Amino acid sequence: MIALGGSIGTGLLVGSGKALYMGGPAALLIAWGVVGTMVFCVVHALGELCVAFPVNGAFSTYATRFVDSSWGFAVGWNYAIMWLFVFPLELVAAAMCLQFWNTTINPVSWVAIFYVAIVLINLFGVKGYGEAEFYLTIFKIIALVGFIILGVILVCGGGPKHEFIGNKNWKVGAFANGFKGVATTFITASYSLAGTEMVGLAAAEVDNPRKVLPKAIRQVFWRVFLFYYLTLTFIGLLVPYNHPDLLGGSGNNASPFVIAIKDAGIKALPSIFNACILFAVVSVGNSSVFGCSRTIQSLGAQGLAPSWFAYIDRKGRPLVALGISAIFGALCFLTAYKDQGTVFNWLLSVAGLATVFAWFNIALCHFRFRRAMRTQKRSLDELVFTSVTGIWGSLYSMAFLILVLIAQFWVALFPLHSNGKPSAESFFQNYLGAFVILICYIGHKLYTRNWRIYLSSADIDLESGRRIVDVEVLQAEMTEEKEANRLKPVYIRLWNYWC
């Protein structure tokens, strides 16, 4: 369930409205479709690494092992910083969800309630996090499947107004701002899929990664196709890119999902969907504490942070790392400050590109892992799970993410509707994350006096952290499982592979 719904949050449910306004309905399908192919490749590469090396920390640990310790330091801290700031931001977003119904209660009260609840959930360890995500994800999945069914009905004219919509809103404008609008939408699509890699952080705490992780990794196809592509198809059909609520709305009132339901004339459903957005926001806040704590603990264990950051109690909880996340989460109480929007925009800008660098790092580590396997004359038959797209998928992902960074640079420096004039504020709010990771990387190089850019393929450690070491036994088990699967009906085999 973490793999299926871990990344569904405000990026899709609210942020897609800004993407529709900037790019138009065609840009939504192009951006999420192409970014979805990249995420598919990255998650399969991550699955191959996690099944082979189910180690704590995943991304930063792999970066240190397969690339270089300075790169591991930069990627790990950039990823941890992102979740440190996402936690308070999601708490504020949760309070905004409740403002949809009640504006008389001080939002700080709601923030405090959600803050305590999420910290307590994570104090129950990985089981508490997993159980909470399981139920929160069920709500998200039911909401999105319900919206897809409603979308079919409304587009075909079955709503209260009995108006056939068809492709009417595409005729208003399929592309809102040309190529620049599409480029801006690519960036929003990348952010909305952030959290897809969270399944890798749980690898070290899974009893049997060989059995569980491949099944979870394969779910990414359905997540991208069903919960992103189909919902955004109906958003583009139901809401015109120039809808006044997209232009001037704020908070959940600017959600294209809520706008589509309101325009259909359905009375109670906007409030119900707002509740689903609330569940999604709390889910992302819960994931942020889990992701941040595991990354910080891993950095401490690798010697890339103070050693006491690595402390784990007898129940397997990284208490020091959880405490650090809770301390930063207290930034949510800045919601009482009159200029809290400006403060949080700058806080988020520090790690605004963290997801892009995390995905690039996963693809790079997979590429370096395969090179090391080849150099050290190791067979891929040793691997329980291999990426469907192989090494070429990782190369494609790295090339695509470099293009996203270039597009982000262009759009950040010359934002839409700036008449071609550069904007320093827009640039630093959208591109500061690149400077953060660069400073971390160079700073670690200067501190350690380690001028090596990357490890040679022959020196990469392919043994530490492997749970399965007897290759012959492994291959015998896999052969037996394949034979048993071959005897099953075709529909069962297809179900087992994709689901």
Side-chain angles (χ1 to χ4, degrees):
M1 294 301 283
I2 292 169
L4 195 61
S7 64
I8 299 171
T10 50
L12 171 66
L13 299 174
V14 179
S16 56
K18 183 180 179 183
L20 176 61
Y21 162 60
M22 290 184 167
L28 289 184
L29 299 187
I30 292 170
W32 265 267
V34 177
V35 172
T37 62
M38 180 273 298
V39 170
F40 182 85
C41 296
V42 166
V43 174
H44 270 259
L46 177 63
E48 182 177 313
L49 292 172
C50 285
V51 175
F53 304 95
V55 295
N56 203 16
F59 325 121
S60 62
T61 306
Y62 296 147
T64 302
R65 172 178 290 198
F66 298 120
V67 185
D68 174 62
S69 59
S70 297
W71 177 246
F73 176 85
V75 170
W77 273 111
N78 203 34
Y79 193 74
I81 289 170
M82 178 188 75
W83 289 122
L84 282 173
F85 291 144
V86 166
F87 180 32
L89 284 165
E90 294 300 324
L91 291 173
V92 173
M96 288 172 59
C97 287
L98 290 163
Q99 294 287 302
F100 184 86
W101 297 298
N102 190 326
T103 57
T104 59
I105 299 175
N106 192 318
V108 176
S109 304
W110 295 119
V111 163
I113 293 170
F114 290 123
Y115 174 81
V116 172
I118 290 174
V119 171
L120 286 176
I121 286 171
N122 280 271
L123 283 175
F124 283 102
V126 70
K127 184 174 178 62
Y129 163 73
E131 288 294 320
E133 279 302 294
F134 176 79
Y135 291 108
L136 290 170
T137 298
I138 285 175
F139 281 109
K140 291 191 283 188
I141 290 173
I142 291 172
L144 291 180
V145 171
F147 181 82
I148 292 169
I149 296 170
L150 177 65
V152 174
I153 295 169
L154 295 178
V155 168
C156 295
K161 296 181 179 179
H162 302 291
E163 175 191 1
F164 178 77
I165 296 174
N167 66 341
K168 179 179 70 175
N169 290 322
W170 274 64
K171 293 178 180 178
V172 173
F175 294 96
N177 291 288
F179 177 73
K180 196 168 189 177
V182 176
T184 306
T185 310
F186 268 104
I187 296 156
T188 308
S190 299
Y191 291 160
S192 78
L193 285 160
T196 311
E197 70 289 341
M198 288 292 292
V199 66
L201 288 177
E205 298 174 80
V206 172
D207 286 336
N208 192 345
R210 179 195 158 197
K211 296 284 186 183
V212 176
L213 283 176
K215 188 178 180 68
I217 292 299
R218 291 183 185 119
Q219 296 286 351
V220 73
F221 169 79
W222 296 111
R223 177 171 68 244
V224 171
F225 175 72
L226 186 64
F227 299 128
Y228 283 86
Y229 208 72
L230 286 185
T231 53
L232 290 169
T233 298
F234 287 108
I235 285 299
L237 290 170
L238 294 171
V239 182
Y241 83 91
N242 58 355
H243 195 285
D245 285 351
L246 289 177
L247 303 178
S250 61
N252 292 358
N253 291 312
S255 168
F257 293 83
V258 175
I259 291 170
I261 295 168
K262 279 182 177 178
D263 286 358
I266 304 173
K267 299 298 182 183
L269 206 53
S271 289
I272 294 172
F273 206 88
N274 184 68
C276 296
I277 296 176
L278 175 61
F279 283 119
V281 168
V282 173
S283 171
V284 174
N286 188 38
S287 295
S288 67
V289 176
F290 177 83
C292 179
S293 61
R294 269 57 184 179
T295 304
I296 290 177
Q297 188 278 329
S298 172
L299 290 167
Q302 295 175 67
L304 302 177
S307 58
W308 50 278
F309 280 22
Y311 174 74
I312 298 177
D313 71 354
R314 287 180 296 177
K315 294 184 178 180
R317 298 173 298 183
L319 291 182
V320 174
L322 282 171
I324 293 169
S325 184
I327 290 169
F328 271 82
L331 289 170
C332 64
F333 294 107
L334 282 173
T335 190
Y337 179 57
K338 61 179 180 179
D339 291 326
Q340 77 273 22
T342 303
V343 173
F344 280 116
N345 282 337
W346 281 104
L347 288 176
L348 190 59
S349 70
V350 174
L353 296 173
T355 300
V356 173
F357 287 117
W359 288 341
F360 183 89
N361 172 63
I362 292 167
L364 176 61
C365 289
H366 181 247
F367 172 76
R368 296 282 298 149
F369 167 64
R370 286 290 189 94
R371 285 293 300 270
M373 291 282 286
R374 183 176 178 181
T375 301
Q376 298 180 28
K377 302 188 185 309
R378 304 286 289 269
S379 172
L380 294 182
D381 292 337
E382 297 178 26
L383 304 177
V384 177
F385 175 80
T386 54
S387 169
V388 171
T389 55
I391 197 169
W392 293 106
S394 294
L395 290 171
Y396 159 72
S397 299
M398 286 189 284
F400 177 79
L401 289 166
I402 289 171
L403 291 176
V404 168
L405 288 172
I406 293 171
Q408 172 74 327
F409 184 91
W410 175 44
V411 174
L413 189 59
F414 301 99
L416 281 172
H417 311 302
S418 66
N419 298 319
K421 296 179 180 179
S423 169
E425 181 179 356
S426 170
F427 177 75
F428 283 108
Q429 281 195 347
N430 290 280
Y431 219 75
L432 191 58
F435 294 100
V436 171
I437 197 167
L438 190 62
I439 291 168
C440 288
Y441 181 78
I442 294 173
H444 190 268
K445 285 288 183 194
L446 293 172
Y447 179 76
T448 59
R449 304 291 181 181
N450 170 24
W451 307 117
R452 179 183 57 199
I453 302 299
Y454 58 87
L455 293 166
S456 68
S457 299
D459 293 334
I460 289 176
D461 178 12
L462 295 176
E463 295 298 336
S464 300
R466 297 285 291 268
R467 290 194 187 181
I468 300 170
V469 292
D470 194 328
V471 177
E472 292 182 1
V473 173
L474 170 63
Q475 290 178 347
E477 289 179 359
M478 292 175 66
T479 302
E480 186 179 332
E481 288 173 4
K482 287 178 181 177
E483 182 63 24
N485 190 53
R486 189 181 65 80
L487 298 174
K488 294 176 181 177
V490 174
Y491 65 90
I492 294 291
R493 281 184 277 164
L494 289 172
W495 174 268
N496 288 339
Y497 184 80
W498 289 107
C499 303

